[in-house]
Amino acid sequence: PSETPLATGESFTATATVENEEDVASSSSVSFTIDTTTQIEIYSPEDQSTINTVTPRIFGFSEPNSDLEINIRRTSDDVIVYTETFRPNTFGFWSLALEDDILQEQDSYLISVSIEDVAGNQDAVEHQITIDTDIPSIQINSPAINSILGDTQPVIQGTTAPNQEVQIAIDDENIALVTADEQGSWAFQPEEELAPGPHFVVASITD
């Protein structure tokens, strides 16, 4: 056996060779990948955030081709109100839209998402949210969720309350603060090009 541990995330090929008395050799090879970690994140709603809807879209990122499970627990009485198993898309992004009979106004919830990848690695993440329907709403209208774009500087646009300030974050980094117009429309276009590959956008407001 090897005395040096093999690096996680790396792929290897092992070959075994034997020879008989006539020096005729025969060999067998096998390829494998070392995977000792996994990844799971909730991008929205943010942890410790207050939202104004009982039908939030919960989305995040995980290791692709993994099994995920979400549990939502109402903190006021410690009751699990929603549970579901699902898988991310090929890029690792996942999204769930809750129906209107699951969460209640003016209550708090603990969202827990757990993962088990193909190697058996497990992890979990939790976000706590509070629902307050008296605060303004916000929505991203474009780009659509899980869309594929040919523009490296896409226009991000949505709606909220008139003259409301909107914080824009791309890939978990706050990059701009814009103000909605008198109709509640807002838009932002990144000054720098985004690298090819998956990205996520979060638009948030403070009452």
Side-chain angles (χ1 to χ4, degrees):
S2 172
E3 296 182 358
T4 303
L6 301 180
T8 186
E10 299 289 336
S11 297
F12 301 89
T13 299
T15 302
T17 303
V18 295
E19 294 183 358
N20 61 15
E21 294 179 353
E22 287 76 27
D23 293 331
V24 177
S26 178
S27 64
S28 178
S29 299
V30 60
S31 297
F32 58 92
T33 300
I34 302 296
D35 181 8
T36 60
T37 62
T38 190
Q39 181 183 10
I40 178 68
E41 296 183 57
I42 300 174
Y43 289 154
S44 181
E46 297 181 19
D47 189 26
Q48 303 298 326
S49 63
T50 299
I51 61 176
N52 79 326
T53 176
V54 295
T55 57
R57 181 175 292 275
I58 304 170
F59 72 93
F61 181 80
S62 68
E63 183 178 337
N65 303 315
S66 298
D67 293 321
L68 308 179
E69 179 176 289
I70 184 171
N71 289 285
I72 301 179
R73 183 184 301 273
R74 188 169 54 233
T75 58
S76 59
D77 54 9
D78 201 33
V79 171
I80 294 178
V81 297
Y82 181 78
T83 184
E84 184 175 344
T85 57
F86 58 101
R87 306 198 85 187
N89 65 19
T90 55
F91 298 108
F93 289 106
W94 53 267
S95 176
L96 294 172
L98 300 184
E99 299 178 356
D100 59 7
D101 59 348
I102 297 173
L103 307 184
Q104 300 176 358
E105 298 179 9
Q106 317 305 121
D107 218 332
S108 296
Y109 296 86
L110 185 65
I111 303 171
S112 303
V113 183
S114 59
I115 181 174
E116 182 172 355
D117 65 15
V118 293
N121 301 306
Q122 298 179 346
D123 201 359
V125 62
E126 294 182 340
H127 278 197
Q128 181 152 344
I129 63 170
T130 299
I131 297 177
D132 182 356
T133 54
D134 293 330
I135 66 173
S137 64
I138 185 168
Q139 181 173 338
I140 297 176
N141 299 326
S142 178
I145 293 177
N146 295 327
S147 57
I148 299 177
L149 309 176
D151 186 358
T152 57
Q153 293 175 285
V155 176
I156 303 164
Q157 54 187 346
T159 54
T160 185
N163 305 311
Q164 176 72 51
E165 286 191 338
V166 178
Q167 179 72 62
I168 309 295
I170 299 180
D171 299 334
D172 213 21
E173 180 180 353
N174 291 331
I175 61 172
L177 186 66
V178 300
T179 302
D181 62 21
E182 294 181 356
Q183 285 73 46
S185 298
W186 57 267
F188 169 75
Q189 184 174 27
E191 295 181 359
E192 299 182 1
E193 294 186 353
L194 301 178
H199 298 275
F200 66 95
V201 179
V202 175
S204 59
I205 59 176
T206 301
D207 187 19

